[in-house]
Amino acid sequence: MAISYPLSLPDTFGFRAAKLRQVVAATADMSPFTFGQQVVSWPGERWEADVSLPSDYRGRMAPWKAFLLSLRGPVGTFLMGDPDYQTPQGTVSDCLVTGAAGEASVSVVMTGSLLAGDYIQLGAGASARLHCVLQDQDGSGTLDIWPALRRDYNGAPATFENAMGVFRLTRPVTEWEIDTAGIYGLSFQAVEAIG
């Protein structure tokens, strides 16, 4: 059976720790004389992540090792979200999103609420995009999200349970360590797969 991307994370156990990062294409320069600042912002926005797994024996680590090797470094992609947000804080039961590429405020037709910090997923499979809600929204209206939309959506259903985006490894090297007791240690870095 051929490997088809994006892969799903192995379900043997979850992360020991995950660090998610917001990365924006912006610079801030400051005058050394007046301390006046000039900020320049470009439209680039993406997620990055550092993930470490709990140390464990060979049998339980084998699916994770095979998963990472299957990605062939940054070639393959996988689905991942915030491991602490399997369900939203809000009461949302359905949500349709409309907006144009580049917009960070989108129109929603929604039953229930999404709270600041909740996540939504737009698209599925290789086109899945992970967005974080920036302000509480109760019912239909305007929803502020990060990152901005990367394509146009017209009444697209948002996934809010176990929301994920598409990621790839940042390096062409996959490594793990094994101690004298046969305990494996494994971690990896990932970046959102865009384009």
Side-chain angles (χ1 to χ4, degrees):
M1 182 166 105
I3 294 173
S4 177
Y5 303 115
L7 299 178
S8 295
L9 296 174
D11 60 2
T12 52
F13 51 81
F15 304 153
R16 180 182 63 78
K19 181 188 294 185
L20 295 175
R21 273 187 302 282
Q22 169 200 54
V23 180
V24 297
T27 61
D29 290 321
M30 182 174 63
S31 166
F33 307 107
T34 66
F35 299 126
Q37 297 173 344
Q38 180 181 14
V39 177
V40 179
S41 177
W42 293 276
E45 299 177 330
R46 73 177 186 195
W47 295 104
E48 292 182 354
D50 296 333
V51 176
S52 55
L53 302 173
S55 298
D56 212 329
Y57 289 100
R58 178 179 71 177
R60 289 185 31 97
M61 290 300 266
W64 280 98
K65 184 172 69 173
F67 163 78
L68 290 171
L69 292 173
S70 296
L71 293 170
R72 292 174 156 57
V75 174
T77 58
F78 59 96
L79 295 168
M80 185 175 74
D82 186 327
D84 195 40
Y85 270 88
Q86 301 300 310
T87 58
Q89 303 172 89
T91 60
V92 62
S93 60
D94 63 79
C95 179
L96 300 175
V97 175
T98 299
E103 291 181 347
S105 292
V106 297
S107 176
V108 292
V109 176
M110 182 170 61
T111 303
S113 63
L114 284 166
L115 302 183
D118 285 344
Y119 292 90
I120 61 170
Q121 172 186 326
L122 294 172
S127 66
R129 296 289 174 239
L130 180 66
H131 299 275
C132 186
V133 174
L134 302 181
Q135 294 185 0
D136 294 353
Q137 176 62 38
D138 190 12
S140 298
T142 301
L143 184 68
D144 293 315
I145 58 171
W146 188 92
L149 296 180
R150 294 207 176 85
R151 59 177 288 260
D152 296 346
Y153 293 95
N154 187 6
T159 301
F160 38 84
E161 299 280 338
N162 200 24
M164 296 187 189
V166 180
F167 287 78
R168 68 177 70 249
L169 297 179
T170 58
R171 300 178 46 209
V173 176
T174 298
E175 60 188 7
W176 55 92
E177 60 183 306
I178 311 157
D179 68 14
T180 56
I183 304 290
Y184 281 67
L186 203 152
S187 60
F188 60 93
Q189 294 179 323
V191 62
E192 186 179 9
I194 302 172

